Amino acid sequence: VELGKANVVPIYGLNYKDLPEDANRWLAQFGNPYAGILVDPEGRIGLDFGVYGAPETFVIDAQGTIVYKHIGPLTPADIETKIKPLLQ
């Protein structure tokens, strides 16, 4: 099961302190799995989430509570063993 635009679980990105053209170039090169992207040029949204380095991944439940935070790149094993079980 994939996660992203074509799935029931939407993934949102946070453009954390990057220039929009840099973020767009990255997405064009590596693909855009996001249902939507928030732009955080000054890092204020990131502060609210406790972001201190990128990439970081958050799983947020329907009530808006962060139920999981993963620091660093996600591997396929991380998605299978840490993320997907939270989505059940």
Side-chain angles (χ1 to χ4, degrees):
V1 176
E2 292 184 36
L3 302 175
K5 284 183 182 180
N7 297 284
V8 212
V9 179
I11 297 175
Y12 292 90
L14 176 63
N15 178 1
Y16 181 67
K17 296 185 177 181
D18 286 328
L19 295 173
E21 56 270 19
D22 292 339
N24 289 332
R25 188 173 27 260
W26 190 92
L27 291 170
Q29 181 178 353
F30 295 104
N32 183 354
Y34 305 111
I37 300 173
L38 298 168
V39 178
D40 187 16
E42 296 177 16
R44 292 188 177 153
I45 297 170
L47 286 175
D48 290 342
F49 278 91
V51 171
Y52 59 86
E56 292 185 21
T57 300
F58 297 84
V59 176
I60 302 171
D61 69 14
Q63 290 72 42
T65 302
I66 297 171
V67 295
Y68 178 74
K69 177 180 178 180
H70 181 90
I71 299 169
L74 281 174
T75 66
D78 292 328
I79 293 170
E80 289 299 321
T81 62
K82 298 174 184 175
I83 304 296
K84 284 186 179 179
L86 296 170
L87 304 177
Q88 302 305 319

